[in-house]
Amino acid sequence: MKASCAMLSTLPLTAGVTLLIVLLMFGTAFAVGKGRHRYSIRAPARSGHPAFGRLYRVQVNTLEWAVMTLPCLWICAAYVNDAVAAGLGGVWLVGRVGYAVGYAREPALRAKGFTVGALAFGALGLAAGGGVLWNLLGY
């Protein structure tokens, strides 16, 4: 246990970005709960008022992408660099916030944020994969 904690303590930037991603996921869940109340959508319903539908899609889509992004973030931090991982994770986070705010207002406004997040995810995945491969090759 101590060895893994020691390794994690050398990655404070990635840990901070991870906490911000968790905060984003909490925020989207909170927005859905608030939307259920505002638009009288009783659980387990997932549709009703279009504004609620957008909030729900933001939450689900953010969770889908976070499940893929978080492992890449930590693999990149462990095999490449804490600052690189945190920087790319921060860009992903900014993109996802832009996606969430845009989509909640108007579906057409989600594209810029989605693109920024998708590109950051791709860069994280490539960096993580490259770092693992580099390590496997003994470099």
Side-chain angles (χ1 to χ4, degrees):
M1 179 78 169
K2 279 193 172 192
S4 63
C5 288
M7 193 278 285
L8 290 177
S9 69
T10 64
L11 306 171
L13 299 173
T14 300
V17 169
T18 299
L19 290 172
L20 292 173
I21 291 171
V22 170
L23 184 61
L24 173 64
M25 291 187 293
F26 174 80
T28 62
F30 185 80
V32 168
K34 195 172 172 183
R36 282 190 183 282
H37 179 73
R38 178 181 295 144
Y39 302 111
S40 300
I41 310 291
R42 294 178 53 141
R46 294 173 296 179
S47 61
H49 194 280
F52 173 77
R54 292 191 303 271
L55 293 172
Y56 182 77
R57 279 305 306 146
V58 165
Q59 180 194 24
V60 172
N61 191 268
T62 299
L63 290 172
E64 291 166 351
W65 279 85
V67 165
M68 299 182 298
T69 301
L70 286 168
C72 291
L73 176 72
W74 280 94
I75 292 168
C76 182
Y79 286 91
V80 178
N81 180 285
D82 184 37
V84 170
L88 291 170
V91 172
W92 181 86
L93 184 63
V94 167
R96 292 310 301 182
V97 169
Y99 166 85
V101 170
Y103 201 172
R105 289 185 184 154
E106 173 63 42
L109 297 177
R110 74 188 190 279
K112 275 187 195 174
F114 182 87
T115 301
V116 169
L119 290 172
F121 167 74
L124 265 174
L126 288 172
V132 169
L133 183 60
W134 195 255
N135 185 270
L136 288 171
L137 294 174
Y139 294 104

